[in-house]
Amino acid sequence: MIAVQARRSHRTETIAVVGLRLAAGFVILAMVALIAYLAFEGTKTFYVDKFPLWSFLFSPNFAVDAGRPGAAVFIVGTLAVTLFAIVIGGPFGIAVGVFLSEIAPYRMTQILKPAIEVMVGIPSVVYGWLGLTLLVPLIRTHTSSPSGFGLAAAGIVLAIMILPTVITLSEDAFRSLPGSLKEGSLALGATRWQTITRVLLPSAASGLAVALILGIARAVGETLAVQMVLGNSTQFPQGLFAPTAALTTEIVTDMPGATEGSLLEHVLFSMALLLLVIAMVLIVFVRVALRKRA
């Protein structure tokens, strides 16, 4: 009887291991296939249409019909919106993480954490719609912007969207620190504020860097919410309240009208490949930060 049960347990374990390996292999194969397909289609701009990579990255002229598909405007717009969002949302998210881990009472933390987790599940179209109906008219009324669309609206919407990620990871970074750091600082006569600013913040620097980088990754890949409030104008950002365009918004706008095998389709795939490269670079930074933290 014992031998039969042992054989059944061994068979079950073997089936589970095979299933897990197949699942992992499928995920790896799917990712490799996706990257290979995107790389194949995204490089056609350069080896089929013979358009120079340097001109694609740095030319401000996006005139596909005239054979000048420069993507510099969209690259600058993407970086500007992302930078604006992280400058606003990054410090605020870290501050909330400090509050939840070091200052807030236990009951308040138990109320705020589920509320923050709910924000993660809100669809991006909801953020974009709220920005379109509330934020854009507010900017149009109280600034010199004639339309209200632009970097400010898109940056604020993105900053709100990345807050749950930054807050959650920042809190985890502080809670993972050894308790002896805080106890030793307080025992030496430091105030709670001095302990937070001079001991805990430097010690959690790697974890906070991970939070900011993942927030940037979320902001770079966001499409729908940005498209609804950015203005989608093919021009370099002229100010916080001037419309511009980003890589994601241009892909969404022009892909439905791109015919198969056309230069426009190749250029849009090149933009998607560029977004993938940016995301991969950010992932490398995350892994380096995690290694330093470990």
Side-chain angles (χ1 to χ4, degrees), residues 98-246:
V98 172
F99 176 76
L100 291 177
S101 61
E102 302 298 331
I103 300 175
Y106 176 78
R107 291 184 178 179
M108 182 179 294
T109 302
Q110 296 304 308
I111 295 175
L112 290 178
K113 290 190 68 174
I116 294 172
E117 294 172 357
V118 168
M119 291 179 62
V120 179
I122 299 176
S124 59
V125 65
V126 175
Y127 286 104
W129 178 251
L130 292 176
L132 182 64
T133 57
L134 299 177
L135 185 59
V136 170
L138 185 66
I139 293 176
R140 183 170 57 242
T141 303
H142 294 87
T143 66
S144 58
S145 174
S147 63
F149 297 100
L151 283 179
I156 293 173
V157 170
L158 275 184
I160 296 174
M161 294 182 66
I162 67 175
L163 276 179
T165 300
V166 178
I167 292 172
T168 302
L169 294 178
S170 298
E171 183 189 5
D172 292 341
F174 283 105
R175 293 193 183 278
S176 64
L177 295 176
S180 58
L181 290 175
K182 180 179 179 180
E183 295 170 357
S185 178
L186 295 175
L188 291 173
T191 63
R192 183 168 62 176
W193 179 248
Q194 290 174 332
T195 300
I196 292 173
T197 56
R198 299 183 182 181
V199 178
L200 299 183
L201 275 175
S203 301
S206 298
L208 299 180
V210 171
L212 293 177
I213 291 172
L214 290 180
I216 293 173
R218 170 80 187 273
V220 167
E222 189 53 53
T223 304
L224 190 55
V226 175
Q227 184 189 27
M228 296 175 70
V229 297
L230 187 57
N232 302 318
S233 176
T234 311
Q235 62 180 9
F236 284 110
Q238 304 297 320
L240 290 179
F241 305 108
T244 184

Side-chain angles (χ1 to χ4, degrees), residues 45 51 55-56 58-75 233-236 245-247 249-251 253-255 258 263-271:
T45 304
F51 191 75
S55 298
F56 172 76
F58 298 102
S59 175
N61 299 318
F62 186 74
V64 179
D65 295 337
R68 298 194 301 272
V73 171
F74 310 116
I75 296 173
S233 176
T234 311
Q235 62 180 9
F236 284 110
L247 289 169
T249 61
E250 185 62 24
I251 293 173
T253 302
D254 288 349
M255 184 61 79
L263 175 60
L264 177 59
E265 184 190 44
H266 296 164
V267 170
L268 296 180
F269 270 112
S270 299
M271 292 181 182

Side-chain angles (χ1 to χ4, degrees), residues 20-54:
L20 292 174
R21 288 180 177 177
L22 289 175
F26 174 77
V27 172
I28 295 173
L29 181 62
M31 292 301 299
V32 171
L34 177 63
I35 294 174
Y37 175 75
L38 196 57
F40 176 74
E41 293 291 339
T43 54
K44 285 185 177 180
T45 304
F46 315 117
Y47 76 86
V48 173
D49 302 308
K50 306 299 182 182
F51 191 75
L53 175 62
W54 182 267

